[in-house]
Amino acid sequence: MTGGARGIGGAISTVLAEDGATVAVLGLPEDRERTHNLAARLNGAASKIHFYQSDVSIYDECREAVAAVLQQHGRIDFLVNNAGITRDHTVRKMTVEEWEKVLQVNLSGPFFMIKAVLDTMVERGFGRIVNVSSVVAEAGNFGQANYAAAKAGLLGLTKTVALEVAKRGITVNAVAPGFIDTDMTKAMPEAAIENAIAQTPVRALGQPEEVARLVRFLLDEKAGYITGAVYNINGGWYM
Ligand code: NAP
């Protein structure tokens, strides 16, 4: 599980640990303490959450973290590609660095992680992969060319890997959240948040736990007939 210490990722880690899964959180150095604090808040499930330092935009770090998880826990049943960043600017103002950084973390990261876990999943004949995309992958969003392109690319990656491993007991799906109440949305200007709520038919931001419940559903052993799918969770903002 990448970026699983806060926001949507923190909610996914919590739901999975409370359901009895052992969760390996792969994250940046700052996430070590956050992961520790998250685990400490869980009654009885604290020992289920472990931190592995890994920048998802660096393939070798993904590979090494996956090898460490396998060595310590013996197997990997699921992968959630959740880590993501924004670097918003209109295309005219966006720097090449901002474009590349977002593509590296939000698109190359999931590719690196999938590449790192796929062999072991294929060997065991079982796996569940969920990629956290975004509503803007399909809708586009002003000032987010890099982010929307990466999240749209992630849908193509999802469907292609789903095809490639469908016969191996591995499912690959994506969730596409709308505006969810996390640090990422808190970074938006207040007027933009109010506008997002006003344009969302259910008139509210989504909660990280709601996305976590959807991800949990797709990771279920019994969800084997769902693959290559994109699940919207956006309060009706885009249908
Ligand atoms: P968030 O609160 O900003 O959390 C993002 C997480 O990703 C953090 O834990 C962050 O680590 C981690 N991360 C960033 N770069 C990383 C890297 N290079 N390697 C490893 N981990 C890295 O974001 P969020 O709102 O929970 O979003 C989670 C996912 O949902 C993202 O993919 C985002 O694009 C997607 N999403 C969010 C919304 C929304 O409205 N919030 C809507 C649609 C989709 P640090 O804590 O160290 O920075």
Side-chain angles (χ1 to χ4, degrees):
M1 151 102 225
T2 67
R6 65 187 175 107
I8 293 171
I12 298 170
S13 299
T14 302
V15 163
L16 295 178
E18 284 175 347
D19 258 8
T22 300
V23 182
V25 171
L26 273 61
L28 300 172
E30 306 86 273
D31 273 343
R32 183 180 295 277
E33 201 181 330
R34 281 198 197 103
T35 305
H36 181 75
N37 294 341
L38 179 79
R41 287 199 295 274
L42 292 177
N43 274 341
S47 61
K48 298 258 170 211
I49 300 187
H50 306 265
F51 181 77
Y52 296 83
Q53 190 175 314
S54 170
D55 180 335
V56 298
S57 65
I58 301 172
Y59 178 54
D60 282 349
E61 292 195 13
C62 296
R63 228 172 16 92
E64 282 161 22
V66 166
V69 173
L70 278 173
Q71 196 187 19
Q72 275 171 291
H73 301 287
R75 63 176 219 256
I76 294 175
D77 294 324
F78 54 75
L79 164 67
V80 181
N81 279 311
N82 163 79
I85 59 167
T86 51
R87 296 286 185 275
D88 296 354
H89 271 133
T90 58
V91 170
R92 291 171 72 197
K93 292 188 184 152
M94 186 175 288
T95 64
V96 171
E97 288 73 25
E98 286 168 337
W99 169 265
E100 287 179 343
K101 182 70 188 167
V102 170
L103 267 288
Q104 277 162 5
V105 174
N106 295 9
L107 183 56
S108 296
F111 167 71
F112 294 158
M113 286 301 302
I114 289 171
K115 198 167 164 55
V117 301
L118 222 45
D119 282 349
T120 180
M121 286 183 175
V122 166
E123 269 167 34
R124 285 186 53 230
F126 179 82
R128 297 278 178 266
I129 298 174
V130 174
N131 296 319
V132 181
S133 179
S134 166
V135 66
V136 308
E138 291 186 279
N141 203 22
F142 191 94
Q144 289 200 310
N146 48 3
Y147 185 79
K151 294 298 189 182
L154 189 52
L155 299 187
L157 178 66
T158 300
K159 293 175 189 188
T160 301
V161 184
L163 270 177
E164 290 180 2
V165 295
K167 282 191 202 152
R168 309 290 194 144
I170 304 166
T171 66
V172 190
N173 293 290
V175 296
F179 294 95
I180 309 298
D181 191 8
T182 69
D183 292 342
M184 192 177 267
T185 33
K186 285 188 184 87
M188 289 162 58
E190 199 153 317
I193 297 181
E194 279 169 19
N195 191 35
I197 293 173
Q199 288 182 11
T200 301
V202 304
R203 296 284 186 273
L205 295 178
Q207 292 306 309
E209 295 70 28
E210 294 173 299
V211 181
R213 291 273 155 218
L214 174 59
V215 171
R216 166 70 187 85
F217 167 75
L218 293 168
L219 294 176
D220 201 285
E221 204 178 338
K222 295 195 174 76
Y225 206 61
I226 306 173
T227 197
V230 181
Y231 278 71
N232 287 343
I233 173 161
N234 61 34
W237 189 79
Y238 180 84
M239 300 184 190

